[in-house]
Amino acid sequence: MKVLLLLVAIFAATSDGAAQVAPVRRLTVAFLMWDGMELIESMGPAHVFAFAPGMDEVTVSRTKEPLRSAFVTLVPDHTLESCPEPDVLVLPGGSIDVPMADPAWRAFLLEHVPKAELVVSVCNSAVLLADLGLLDGHEATCGDSNLDDLMLLGKDVKAYVNRRWVHSGNIITSKSYYGGLDAALYAVRVLRGPEAEAQVLRRSNGDDLSRWDALHAEP
């Protein structure tokens, strides 16, 4: 028994002695993809979640056909129909014409957003959620140039101008580009706790949480 406890203690720590988070259950994180999305607003958060404990990442699109983001070709893992039940959804910004106009995309979001444990929206994908009525009565943010659309398409949406992210209900909306990484890091804190967030930062940012909290404390 003592040997077993010693092995558990060894594998529960990193090489620098920092405790690792042992998740109770694994979470499926679905990264939604379509032609014209912003690459960093999908793959940036994907890297953050990849460093977090107990996350199974999948990419999901309308079909499995290759799609384009900037100069990169991407091949999704799943279609809307084959996607495993997502615990977390990540929606990139960029061109949102495809999901805005496609009934299959709209039906998927209307079904899965309310059921998800957490939804992370980057930039103008908040406009897509507002158009579906999924942000009605919520606080939210997005790219500054999209704030009017956010309030016009949603009902009673309280829009923030100078927040990197806003958490309301089960939805985290965020600013453009690198704002998605901030929102994903905050999502790790919500899903797995501050130790898991610190674990991610040790991989990328020197274990300093203060600057992230300072950003969010801006009025």
Side-chain angles (χ1 to χ4, degrees):
M1 179 62 72
K2 289 182 179 179
V3 173
L4 177 61
L5 291 174
L6 179 60
L7 288 172
V8 170
I10 291 172
F11 284 105
T14 60
S15 58
D16 62 0
Q20 293 287 295
V21 175
V24 175
R25 66 182 180 90
R26 300 190 69 81
L27 299 176
T28 298
V29 186
F31 294 85
L32 308 186
M33 310 174 76
W34 46 76
D35 277 310
M37 71 175 195
E38 280 288 354
L39 186 65
I40 192 173
E41 293 176 356
S42 178
M43 296 298 99
H47 252 296
V48 173
F49 280 105
F51 288 156
M55 304 289 184
D56 296 323
E57 298 179 294
V58 297
T59 53
V60 183
S61 190
R62 183 71 167 83
T63 71
K64 285 190 175 183
E65 291 298 315
L67 54 89
R68 295 288 290 175
S69 176
F71 56 91
V72 176
T73 299
L74 302 161
V75 181
D77 299 319
H78 291 279
T79 66
L80 300 182
E81 292 76 21
S82 72
C83 177
E85 187 67 30
D87 300 294
V88 182
L89 295 169
V90 180
L91 286 70
S95 172
I96 57 172
D97 293 346
V98 170
M100 284 281 280
D102 188 336
W105 264 117
R106 295 175 71 86
F108 179 89
L109 292 168
L110 286 169
E111 177 185 357
H112 291 288
V113 168
K115 295 191 299 183
E117 191 165 334
L118 208 59
V119 177
V120 178
S121 161
V122 187
C123 193
N124 62 334
S125 58
V127 174
L128 171 60
L129 295 177
D131 187 52
L132 291 166
L134 295 168
L135 287 180
D136 289 355
H138 281 280
E139 298 180 342
T141 193
C142 61
D144 289 349
S145 62
N146 304 115
L147 284 164
D148 288 343
D149 290 335
L150 180 65
M151 291 182 287
L152 287 169
L153 293 175
K155 181 180 179 182
D156 299 325
V157 178
K158 184 176 181 181
Y160 286 86
V161 176
N162 55 346
R163 293 283 184 88
R164 294 290 280 172
W165 73 87
V166 172
H167 185 187
S168 182
N170 71 329
I171 299 175
I172 301 169
T173 52
S174 66
K175 290 290 189 185
S176 308
Y177 304 117
Y178 300 106
L181 280 82
D182 294 355
L185 187 64
Y186 170 73
V188 170
R189 185 195 309 181
V190 173
L191 293 164
R192 296 302 195 201
E195 281 303 315
E197 180 187 30
Q199 184 175 310
V200 173
L201 281 173
R202 277 192 290 271
R203 297 286 298 275
S204 60
N205 203 52
D207 199 19
D208 179 14
L209 294 172
S210 61
R211 75 181 190 90
W212 301 92
D213 291 332
L215 278 172
H216 196 248
E218 290 292 327

